Short mmCIF file of all heavy atoms in Angstrom, two decimals:
data_model
loop_
_atom_site.label_atom_id
_atom_site.label_comp_id
_atom_site.label_asym_id
_atom_site.label_seq_id
_atom_site.Cartn_x
_atom_site.Cartn_y
_atom_site.Cartn_z
N ASP A 1 123.29 103.00 83.00
CA ASP A 1 123.02 101.59 83.27
C ASP A 1 121.57 101.40 83.76
O ASP A 1 120.91 100.42 83.40
CB ASP A 1 124.00 101.05 84.32
CG ASP A 1 125.43 101.04 83.81
OD1 ASP A 1 125.64 100.75 82.63
OD2 ASP A 1 126.34 101.34 84.62
N VAL A 2 121.11 102.35 84.58
CA VAL A 2 119.72 102.27 85.06
C VAL A 2 118.76 102.38 83.89
O VAL A 2 117.78 101.62 83.78
CB VAL A 2 119.45 103.39 86.09
CG1 VAL A 2 117.96 103.41 86.46
CG2 VAL A 2 120.29 103.20 87.35
N VAL A 3 119.01 103.32 82.98
CA VAL A 3 118.16 103.50 81.81
C VAL A 3 118.11 102.23 80.96
O VAL A 3 117.04 101.77 80.55
CB VAL A 3 118.63 104.70 80.97
CG1 VAL A 3 117.92 104.72 79.61
CG2 VAL A 3 118.38 106.01 81.70
N ALA A 4 119.28 101.64 80.72
CA ALA A 4 119.34 100.44 79.88
C ALA A 4 118.56 99.29 80.52
O ALA A 4 117.80 98.57 79.84
CB ALA A 4 120.79 100.03 79.66
N LEU A 5 118.70 99.12 81.84
CA LEU A 5 117.99 98.05 82.53
C LEU A 5 116.49 98.29 82.52
O LEU A 5 115.70 97.38 82.26
CB LEU A 5 118.50 97.94 83.97
CG LEU A 5 117.91 96.83 84.84
CD1 LEU A 5 118.17 95.46 84.23
CD2 LEU A 5 118.46 96.91 86.27
N ALA A 6 116.08 99.54 82.77
CA ALA A 6 114.64 99.85 82.80
C ALA A 6 114.01 99.72 81.42
O ALA A 6 112.88 99.23 81.29
CB ALA A 6 114.44 101.27 83.35
N GLN A 7 114.72 100.14 80.39
CA GLN A 7 114.18 100.03 79.03
C GLN A 7 113.96 98.58 78.64
O GLN A 7 113.00 98.25 77.93
CB GLN A 7 115.12 100.72 78.04
CG GLN A 7 114.98 102.23 78.00
CD GLN A 7 115.86 102.85 76.93
OE1 GLN A 7 116.98 102.40 76.69
NE2 GLN A 7 115.36 103.89 76.29
N SER A 8 114.84 97.70 79.10
CA SER A 8 114.68 96.28 78.77
C SER A 8 113.49 95.64 79.47
O SER A 8 113.09 94.53 79.13
CB SER A 8 115.96 95.52 79.15
OG SER A 8 116.06 95.35 80.57
N ALA A 9 112.94 96.37 80.45
CA ALA A 9 111.86 95.78 81.27
C ALA A 9 110.62 96.65 81.27
O ALA A 9 109.76 96.47 82.14
CB ALA A 9 112.38 95.60 82.70
N LYS A 10 110.49 97.56 80.32
CA LYS A 10 109.35 98.50 80.34
C LYS A 10 108.03 97.78 80.17
O LYS A 10 107.02 98.15 80.76
CB LYS A 10 109.53 99.56 79.25
CG LYS A 10 108.55 100.71 79.39
CD LYS A 10 108.94 101.89 78.51
CE LYS A 10 108.75 101.58 77.05
NZ LYS A 10 108.88 102.79 76.20
N GLY A 11 107.99 96.75 79.36
CA GLY A 11 106.78 95.95 79.20
C GLY A 11 105.62 96.74 78.62
O GLY A 11 105.81 97.70 77.86
N GLU A 12 104.40 96.34 78.97
CA GLU A 12 103.20 96.95 78.41
C GLU A 12 103.06 98.42 78.81
O GLU A 12 102.69 99.26 78.01
CB GLU A 12 101.97 96.16 78.86
CG GLU A 12 100.66 96.70 78.29
CD GLU A 12 99.46 95.94 78.81
OE1 GLU A 12 99.65 94.95 79.55
OE2 GLU A 12 98.32 96.34 78.48
N ASP A 13 103.33 98.74 80.07
CA ASP A 13 103.32 100.12 80.58
C ASP A 13 102.03 100.84 80.21
O ASP A 13 102.04 101.89 79.54
CB ASP A 13 104.54 100.87 80.04
CG ASP A 13 104.82 102.16 80.82
OD1 ASP A 13 104.37 102.26 81.97
OD2 ASP A 13 105.47 103.06 80.26
N ARG A 14 100.92 100.33 80.68
CA ARG A 14 99.59 100.82 80.28
C ARG A 14 99.40 102.31 80.54
O ARG A 14 98.81 103.03 79.72
CB ARG A 14 98.53 100.01 81.02
CG ARG A 14 97.11 100.44 80.75
CD ARG A 14 96.15 99.61 81.58
NE ARG A 14 94.79 100.07 81.47
CZ ARG A 14 93.79 99.63 82.24
NH1 ARG A 14 94.03 98.69 83.15
NH2 ARG A 14 92.57 100.12 82.09
N PHE A 15 99.87 102.80 81.68
CA PHE A 15 99.65 104.20 82.03
C PHE A 15 100.89 105.08 81.80
O PHE A 15 100.86 106.27 82.12
CB PHE A 15 99.23 104.31 83.50
CG PHE A 15 97.92 103.64 83.80
CD1 PHE A 15 97.87 102.44 84.49
CD2 PHE A 15 96.73 104.20 83.36
CE1 PHE A 15 96.67 101.82 84.76
CE2 PHE A 15 95.51 103.58 83.63
CZ PHE A 15 95.48 102.39 84.32
N GLY A 16 101.96 104.50 81.28
CA GLY A 16 103.15 105.29 80.97
C GLY A 16 104.04 105.61 82.15
O GLY A 16 104.97 106.42 82.03
N TYR A 17 103.82 104.96 83.31
CA TYR A 17 104.62 105.27 84.48
C TYR A 17 106.08 104.85 84.31
O TYR A 17 107.00 105.53 84.79
CB TYR A 17 104.03 104.60 85.73
CG TYR A 17 102.64 105.06 86.09
CD1 TYR A 17 101.66 104.15 86.48
CD2 TYR A 17 102.30 106.41 86.03
CE1 TYR A 17 100.38 104.57 86.81
CE2 TYR A 17 101.02 106.84 86.36
CZ TYR A 17 100.06 105.91 86.74
OH TYR A 17 98.79 106.33 87.06
N ARG A 18 106.29 103.72 83.65
CA ARG A 18 107.67 103.25 83.48
C ARG A 18 108.43 104.13 82.48
O ARG A 18 109.62 104.41 82.68
CB ARG A 18 107.68 101.78 83.04
CG ARG A 18 107.09 100.86 84.11
CD ARG A 18 107.30 99.38 83.81
NE ARG A 18 106.73 98.54 84.87
CZ ARG A 18 106.92 97.23 84.99
NH1 ARG A 18 107.65 96.58 84.09
NH2 ARG A 18 106.38 96.56 85.98
N ALA A 19 107.75 104.56 81.44
CA ALA A 19 108.39 105.48 80.49
C ALA A 19 108.75 106.80 81.18
O ALA A 19 109.82 107.38 80.93
CB ALA A 19 107.47 105.74 79.30
N GLU A 20 107.87 107.25 82.04
CA GLU A 20 108.15 108.48 82.80
C GLU A 20 109.38 108.29 83.69
O GLU A 20 110.23 109.19 83.80
CB GLU A 20 106.94 108.83 83.66
CG GLU A 20 107.15 110.07 84.53
CD GLU A 20 106.03 110.26 85.54
OE1 GLU A 20 105.83 109.33 86.37
OE2 GLU A 20 105.38 111.31 85.51
N PHE A 21 109.49 107.12 84.32
CA PHE A 21 110.65 106.84 85.16
C PHE A 21 111.94 106.92 84.36
O PHE A 21 112.93 107.53 84.80
CB PHE A 21 110.52 105.45 85.80
CG PHE A 21 111.77 104.95 86.45
CD1 PHE A 21 112.16 105.43 87.69
CD2 PHE A 21 112.59 104.02 85.82
CE1 PHE A 21 113.32 104.98 88.30
CE2 PHE A 21 113.75 103.57 86.42
CZ PHE A 21 114.12 104.05 87.66
N ILE A 22 111.95 106.33 83.19
CA ILE A 22 113.15 106.35 82.35
C ILE A 22 113.54 107.79 82.02
O ILE A 22 114.73 108.16 82.04
CB ILE A 22 112.92 105.52 81.07
CG1 ILE A 22 112.77 104.04 81.45
CG2 ILE A 22 114.05 105.71 80.07
CD1 ILE A 22 112.28 103.16 80.31
N ASN A 23 112.55 108.62 81.74
CA ASN A 23 112.84 110.02 81.45
C ASN A 23 113.40 110.74 82.67
O ASN A 23 114.30 111.58 82.54
CB ASN A 23 111.56 110.72 80.98
CG ASN A 23 111.82 112.14 80.53
OD1 ASN A 23 112.67 112.39 79.66
ND2 ASN A 23 111.12 113.09 81.13
N LEU A 24 112.92 110.41 83.87
CA LEU A 24 113.44 111.03 85.09
C LEU A 24 114.91 110.67 85.30
O LEU A 24 115.71 111.51 85.74
CB LEU A 24 112.62 110.59 86.30
CG LEU A 24 111.20 111.15 86.42
CD1 LEU A 24 110.53 110.60 87.68
CD2 LEU A 24 111.21 112.66 86.45
N VAL A 25 115.27 109.42 85.01
CA VAL A 25 116.67 109.02 85.15
C VAL A 25 117.54 109.83 84.19
O VAL A 25 118.64 110.28 84.54
CB VAL A 25 116.84 107.51 84.89
CG1 VAL A 25 118.31 107.11 85.05
CG2 VAL A 25 115.97 106.69 85.84
#
């Protein structure tokens, strides 16, 4: 559920921090 919510809100993610977070989950 955390992954699904984060993926829907990743946005521009200029430095890739949000993508990294999704991978950590």
Side-chain angles (χ1 to χ4, degrees):
D1 295 323
V2 173
V3 168
L5 182 60
Q7 280 184 323
S8 74
K10 192 168 69 170
E12 181 183 356
D13 196 22
R14 178 182 174 190
F15 297 106
Y17 298 137
R18 296 190 180 190
E20 178 190 59
F21 168 77
I22 293 169
N23 185 55
L24 289 180
V25 180

